[in-house]
Amino acid sequence: MKKILSIITLTGLLFSNNISGVTYFEFEDSFSLSRTYFTYKKDISDELSFKFQTDVGRLDDNVDDERWTGFLKKAQLDWKVDSNMKISMGMIGMNMLNIQEKTWGHRFMYKSAMDLYKFSATADLGFAISRKHGNLTGTFMISNGEGYKESNVDDNNKTSVQLVWGETKLNKNDGYNIGLAYSTVDVPHEINDETSDVETAVTGFFAGWAGNGLRIGLESNTKDVDGVDNSLASMYATYKIKDNLSVFLRMDDIDENTDDVAVSEEKTLVGLIWTPTKGLDIALNKSDWTKGDPMNCGDNNDEACDETSDGTTKLNFQFKF
């Protein structure tokens, strides 16, 4: 239903002047188009505005499936109650990783940490209240919990809270921020041919700073699945050498515990971004990673626990219109 709605609505909106979009294109061993977003925005009045966004991409990023599909990512109504308070409803952006995603700032190459490792969806069907008091911004959200790509909906609602002190858009403005994100939801799991609800709680701490051409961010996240912890840390920095040339570095470290298997993974991403003209970014980047399975390691055989890859080198392109 979401895919049908996206296609029908997008056809009509293509003739509108309020459309914007972004496309991610890359070259590794061959050229590929990884993702395209179309966004339509409309101010209904001074207090009400509407955002409609489609997400067109691979059917599943984690499998070798070349099929493409379209999703309705946002159908969001924003009501500006006053200068410091906003209410959002519909298919809306999650409040778990939006600040960190802006601090990282390079979604066209890699998703932000929580999104990449599936600690949280980026959008969900629900209701949110955001309130600003001085430098402090708080957002409370209740949503279905499945995310915008899932059509199956259970009766378990997700509760999400975000508190952030400081500048929320470090990709555009200088300043700093520090914050907390927390969510909890009961997720159905099948155990011994029986389905039962398992509590899943995600806690994230994050901080960022931008100034003098340098932007730095770090985050520490924990995902508790029925008492079993999964941890995720990410650090990233971007330095603007000149107006159209930047260098960046990112390091991720994740420890996952699922089905009695513990997996440790470290990733490093480094590269150069060139912006030859407005609306076009070209990035040359190299990624390396190390994986380990500590539960299957011997006491004196730690080196055998690691599987090290030589990594990949890619060209990534971002087109904005």
Side-chain angles (χ1 to χ4, degrees), residues 65-84:
D65 194 326
E66 298 298 321
R67 290 177 294 171
W68 286 73
T69 189
F71 293 94
L72 171 61
K73 184 171 185 179
K74 289 184 181 178
Q76 179 171 330
L77 181 70
D78 290 326
W79 174 23
K80 191 175 181 181
V81 179
D82 56 41
S83 59
N84 294 314

Side-chain angles (χ1 to χ4, degrees), residues 92-98 120-124 141 143 158 160 183:
I92 60 181
M94 288 295 300
N95 58 347
M96 291 296 294
L97 52 86
N98 56 326
S120 174
T122 56
D124 200 4
M141 182 174 176
S143 63
K158 183 175 186 176
S160 309
S183 69

Side-chain angles (χ1 to χ4, degrees), residues 172-184:
K172 295 183 178 180
N173 305 311
D174 289 348
Y176 72 93
N177 64 47
I178 184 169
L180 162 71
Y182 174 80
S183 69
T184 180

Side-chain angles (χ1 to χ4, degrees), residues 290-321:
T290 303
K291 294 182 180 180
D293 187 355
M295 289 195 69
N296 295 327
C297 296
D299 294 337
N300 299 315
N301 195 26
D302 290 340
E303 291 184 1
C305 302
D306 293 335
E307 177 188 348
T308 304
S309 169
D310 292 332
T312 59
T313 300
K314 295 192 301 183
L315 271 173
N316 289 81
F317 303 84
Q318 178 175 238
F319 315 140
K320 292 182 179 179
F321 60 90

Side-chain angles (χ1 to χ4, degrees), residues 101-112:
E101 191 170 59
K102 292 181 178 66
T103 304
W104 160 232
H106 308 308
R107 169 65 182 83
F108 72 105
M109 283 181 290
Y110 263 74
K111 297 177 180 179
S112 58

Side-chain angles (χ1 to χ4, degrees), residues 42-50 77-78:
K42 175 70 174 179
D43 289 331
I44 302 170
S45 67
D46 291 340
E47 293 80 25
L48 286 179
S49 62
F50 179 75
L77 181 70
D78 290 326

Side-chain angles (χ1 to χ4, degrees), residues 88-318:
S88 302
M89 60 192 79
M91 186 71 76
I92 60 181
M94 288 295 300
N95 58 347
M96 291 296 294
L97 52 86
N98 56 326
I99 306 297
Q100 303 93 305
E101 191 170 59
K102 292 181 178 66
T103 304
W104 160 232
H106 308 308
R107 169 65 182 83
F108 72 105
M109 283 181 290
Y110 263 74
K111 297 177 180 179
S112 58
M114 270 200 189
D115 187 12
L116 181 63
Y117 298 101
K118 300 187 183 303
F119 273 45
S120 174
T122 56
D124 200 4
L125 192 61
F127 176 90
I129 299 177
S130 179
R131 178 77 180 179
K132 187 172 183 179
H133 183 75
N135 288 325
L136 179 65
T137 303
T139 306
F140 175 79
M141 182 174 176
I142 298 177
S143 63
N144 282 348
E146 284 80 14
Y148 72 97
K149 291 185 178 181
E150 288 290 336
S151 58
N152 296 324
V153 179
D154 55 42
D155 294 330
N156 301 327
N157 292 326
K158 183 175 186 176
T159 302
S160 309
V161 178
Q162 180 196 77
L163 294 173
V164 57
W165 179 276
E167 174 59 50
T168 59
K169 297 179 180 179
L170 293 178
N171 58 332
K172 295 183 178 180
N173 305 311
D174 289 348
Y176 72 93
N177 64 47
I178 184 169
L180 162 71
Y182 174 80
S183 69
T184 180
V185 62
D186 290 336
V187 179
H189 278 258
E190 187 173 321
I191 303 175
N192 298 325
D193 297 327
E194 293 185 2
T195 301
S196 60
D197 290 338
V198 173
E199 183 180 4
T200 299
V202 174
T203 304
F205 297 94
F206 58 90
W209 178 87
N212 301 318
L214 178 65
R215 186 172 73 246
I216 301 172
L218 59 91
E219 52 187 281
S220 176
N221 309 297
T222 302
K223 185 178 183 180
D224 185 307
V225 183
D226 198 25
V228 179
D229 284 343
N230 301 270
S231 63
L232 168 62
S234 185
M235 297 182 294
Y236 30 88
T238 300
Y239 179 68
K240 184 177 288 188
I241 301 173
K242 53 184 183 178
D243 287 344
N244 66 344
L245 191 65
S246 302
V247 292
F248 63 89
L249 171 69
R250 171 170 160 181
M251 294 181 289
D252 293 347
D253 189 345
I254 182 168
D255 292 312
E256 293 184 287
N257 299 277
T258 57
D259 299 328
D260 298 326
V261 176
V263 177
S264 178
E265 182 175 352
E266 296 179 359
K267 283 190 177 182
T268 302
L269 179 69
V270 61
L272 185 74
I273 303 176
W274 177 43
T275 306
T277 186
K278 182 179 179 181
L280 174 62
D281 296 306
I282 303 172
L284 175 64
N285 61 90
K286 179 176 175 58
S287 60
D288 291 286
W289 62 90
T290 303
K291 294 182 180 180
D293 187 355
M295 289 195 69
N296 295 327
C297 296
D299 294 337
N300 299 315
N301 195 26
D302 290 340
E303 291 184 1
C305 302
D306 293 335
E307 177 188 348
T308 304
S309 169
D310 292 332
T312 59
T313 300
K314 295 192 301 183
L315 271 173
N316 289 81
F317 303 84
Q318 178 175 238

